[in-house]
Amino acid sequence: MYKNSDRFLTAFNRIEKELKSMLMKKELGFSRAVRVLQKSNAIIKQYTDDLLEFAELRNAIVHNRLDMAFVIAEPHDSVVNRIEKIEQELTQPKKVDPLFIKRVIAFQQNDPLYHILDVINHKGITKFPIYNGDDFQGLVTHKGIAKWLARRTKTNTGPLFETSIMEVLQGEKFDNYKFISTGTSVYEAMEIFREQIGNGNRLEALLITENGTSKGELLGIVTNWDIMEI
């Protein structure tokens, strides 16, 4: 049976190896590597405080060994479980594929608005990619529809629900979405939502294609609610 200190040091060493593989300067110490990489790696940014505390605990265990068979203190079970979880997240991060790969209901820009309203009513879906043939045009949301209806009822011109989706789309924010690739990690997706909020822009969805561009086949969609559930 492995002792907690053995499990802890094994996980720590694997994390350290993973950090070095991400760095140009391999000679950086563990804590310095964490501080450098947190700027570019969403998973490390998420666990920075934990990793820095693990570095202190690792030093205490290694430097205070009385001999190779005895350590001055054994880490608590919760600490060992935590570092092993983080090690797995770093070395085998959860990807948006396959978690969020699914059929996405999309519409053509000339479809009538009532097509979207019918889906909202029966399926509860509220975010819809819009295309012109194979060319992506934008993302229509239930909030955008509500704002459009509020404006349209003031003019009261023509049948509302026969209006083309493109007219509704023109009132949406042009930057309410981003495309990501199938290789994007869940933490990277979460960080994209966070960064946009920090920039004063709330994303409605991340759209998944193979290469992360609007030119690829739409394979899935991630909303901020999806991320919160994960």
Side-chain angles (χ1 to χ4, degrees):
M1 178 70 72
Y2 288 106
K3 295 184 295 185
N4 277 2
S5 56
D6 293 330
R7 289 173 56 195
F8 177 89
L9 291 174
T10 297
F12 185 93
N13 291 337
R14 287 174 177 164
I15 292 173
E16 187 169 39
K17 181 179 179 181
E18 187 69 19
L19 297 185
K20 286 185 181 298
S21 72
M22 301 176 187
L23 289 166
M24 295 293 290
K25 295 182 178 179
K26 308 296 183 183
E27 71 276 7
L28 287 182
F30 185 93
S31 295
R32 178 62 179 156
V34 169
R35 291 190 175 94
V36 169
L37 290 169
Q38 70 171 329
K39 300 172 184 177
S40 59
N41 186 291
I43 301 175
I44 294 173
K45 183 175 181 179
Q46 176 75 15
Y47 292 120
T48 293
D49 291 342
D50 292 285
L51 292 169
L52 294 177
E53 289 179 4
F54 293 153
E56 293 182 8
L57 179 55
R58 181 261 185 191
N59 290 340
I61 291 173
V62 171
H63 295 162
N64 292 317
R65 277 182 183 268
L66 299 181
D67 59 48
M68 291 303 294
F70 180 79
V71 296
I72 196 168
E74 289 291 332
H76 192 274
D77 289 348
S78 62
V79 174
V80 175
N81 292 335
R82 181 73 170 170
I83 193 173
E84 288 178 341
K85 174 183 181 296
I86 294 173
E87 180 226 326
Q88 185 172 32
E89 292 285 0
L90 273 172
T91 57
Q92 304 174 53
K94 295 186 182 75
K95 305 284 188 178
V96 294
D97 179 11
L99 275 176
F100 298 110
I101 299 300
K102 57 190 173 185
R103 176 177 173 267
V104 181
I105 297 178
F107 291 95
Q108 291 293 313
Q109 64 179 23
N110 293 325
D111 289 339
L113 175 59
Y114 72 81
H115 284 186
I116 283 183
L117 297 177
D118 185 60
V119 173
I120 293 175
N121 182 42
H122 288 94
K123 296 183 179 295
I125 298 171
T126 59
K127 296 172 177 59
F128 304 95
I130 308 302
Y131 286 83
N132 179 18
D134 293 330
D135 295 328
F136 180 78
Q137 300 298 306
L139 187 73
V140 163
T141 67
H142 63 301
K143 290 184 289 187
I145 294 172
K147 289 178 181 178
W148 177 84
L149 285 171
R151 292 192 301 270
R152 184 65 183 272
T153 51
K154 291 181 179 179
T155 59
N156 196 25
T157 56
L160 288 177
F161 304 138
E162 295 289 341
T163 301
S164 73
I165 291 173
M166 189 61 187
E167 183 177 327
V168 181
L169 179 61
Q170 289 170 351
E172 287 276 8
K173 292 172 58 181
F174 71 91
D175 56 353
N176 64 351
Y177 63 88
K178 281 190 177 297
F179 279 90
I180 59 174
S181 72
T182 51
T184 303
S185 76
V186 171
Y187 284 102
E188 288 171 323
M190 180 173 65
E191 193 60 28
I192 292 171
F193 280 113
R194 283 181 176 172
E195 285 179 352
Q196 289 298 307
I197 290 175
N199 294 333
N201 177 41
R202 186 176 185 276
L203 289 181
E204 294 292 341
L206 301 176
L207 304 173
I208 306 169
T209 61
E210 184 70 33
N211 59 5
T213 73
S214 63
K215 300 301 182 183
E217 177 187 357
L218 191 58
L219 302 174
I221 186 169
V222 187
T223 68
N224 44 16
W225 290 107
D226 293 328
I227 291 294
M228 288 172 65
E229 288 180 1
I230 294 295

